[in-house]
Amino acid sequence: MHSGFLHRRWRAGIFTALCGVALIAAPAGAEVVVIVNKAGPDSLTKEQVADIFLGRTTTLPGGAGTAPQDLPESNALRDEFYSKVTGKSAALAKSHWSKMAFTGKGTPPREGSSADVKKAVAATPGGIGYVEKAVADSSVKAVLTIN
């Protein structure tokens, strides 16, 4: 009987630890912002951002070429971004990019952590990405808030 009690406590501890990891990976209510290089446009519509992240356009308003930056598949904000901006899940967007790459019609956005995305966007004319609002700073320009 004693070993059953310890086993249940161990399983409860593992469950609690996994829930904690899930909360860290997907901060509840984290606001997502689309960021561009400081030389980029002052604002973008959701449709313009969707066109960029689905490869339907390769230029920002004003004519600069785009250099989109994506969060990794493991980041919960990626799915939130794609579903709210493009109307597709992140998995469907990945499938879309696989087809585009296979046919030679485009290259998917580069992936990196939020810090990597911000750094790449800040350093690249035409850079565009999305991060948690708390990550955006004066090195980039926030052009769209995703609610």
Side-chain angles (χ1 to χ4, degrees), residues 52 54-58 68 96-109:
I52 292 166
L54 293 176
R56 294 188 285 234
T57 186
T58 56
H96 169 80
W97 275 111
S98 294
K99 291 175 193 170
M100 295 276 290
F102 181 75
T103 60
K105 294 181 180 175
T107 304

Side-chain angles (χ1 to χ4, degrees), residues 31-125:
E31 208 167 14
V32 180
V33 293
V34 176
I35 57 173
V36 296
N37 181 276
K38 289 188 83 152
D42 291 332
S43 67
L44 291 172
T45 66
K46 195 183 294 189
E47 292 77 19
Q48 290 170 313
V49 173
D51 286 346
I52 292 166
F53 277 88
L54 293 176
R56 294 188 285 234
T57 186
T58 56
T59 57
L60 289 170
T66 60
Q69 306 291 318
D70 218 340
L71 293 175
E73 290 179 54
S74 60
N75 191 312
L77 289 180
R78 180 176 170 140
D79 207 38
E80 181 179 347
F81 169 80
Y82 277 101
S83 66
K84 289 183 177 179
V85 172
T86 69
K88 297 177 182 269
S89 69
L92 282 176
K94 181 179 179 180
S95 174
H96 169 80
W97 275 111
S98 294
K99 291 175 193 170
M100 295 276 290
F102 181 75
T103 60
K105 294 181 180 175
T107 304
R110 299 187 97 176
E111 290 184 20
S113 68
S114 293
D116 293 337
V117 167
K118 181 182 74 168
K119 185 177 177 182
V121 167
T124 309

Side-chain angles (χ1 to χ4, degrees), residues 1-15:
M1 183 191 255
H2 182 65
S3 66
F5 173 76
L6 290 176
H7 182 70
R8 283 191 304 274
R9 292 216 13 112
W10 178 79
R11 285 190 338 198
I14 294 296
F15 177 77

